[in-house]
Amino acid sequence: MSRRRRRRGGSIPEVVVYAAEGCHLCERARAQLEALRAELGFELREVDVAGDPELEARYREWLPVVEIDGERAFVYHVDDDAFRRKVAQAAASRRTL
């Protein structure tokens, strides 16, 4: 069974960042995503992996992990231009569903 989340209606992509407290790369990614959200208008959800054994096992060595509509898009660093392209592709894909 796939763990992929069902996409919500509308054309606004959901971005999820998996992070942990004290992770300097996570802090940088959060700041970038906040700035990009102001520009692009996507939904942003943050998930702290600390204390959840399943999330720790899945994400800890890759933090931060950024997913766009349930698809892993970035680990360690977020490239702003690539992020813009991926969000635009996700939004276009949602409009055709």
Side-chain angles (χ1 to χ4, degrees):
M1 182 172 183
S2 173
R3 290 184 174 258
R4 223 186 227 169
R5 293 198 181 114
R6 177 174 249 161
R7 293 179 178 181
R8 297 180 194 178
S11 62
I12 300 173
E14 180 186 43
V15 175
V16 179
V17 59
Y18 293 89
E21 192 66 35
C23 166
H24 73 281
L25 292 176
C26 299
E27 293 166 12
R28 181 176 175 187
R30 281 187 199 111
Q32 283 179 271
L33 292 171
E34 285 294 342
L36 288 161
R37 181 170 67 166
E39 174 188 334
L40 303 171
F42 54 86
E43 294 181 38
L44 178 61
R45 187 165 58 92
E46 294 183 34
V47 177
D48 185 352
V49 303
D52 183 316
E54 183 180 341
L55 292 177
E56 288 266 0
R58 185 179 299 160
Y59 297 108
R60 175 58 79 174
E61 74 178 88
W62 303 106
L63 293 179
V65 175
V66 177
E67 294 182 351
I68 301 172
D69 280 345
E71 297 289 331
R72 185 175 288 193
F74 299 95
V75 296
Y76 305 127
H77 302 281
V78 177
D79 177 279
D80 290 352
D81 291 332
F83 182 86
R84 287 181 185 97
R85 285 191 301 274
K86 289 176 183 277
V87 166
Q89 289 170 346
S93 174
R94 283 171 159 259
R95 285 191 292 271
T96 61
L97 291 180

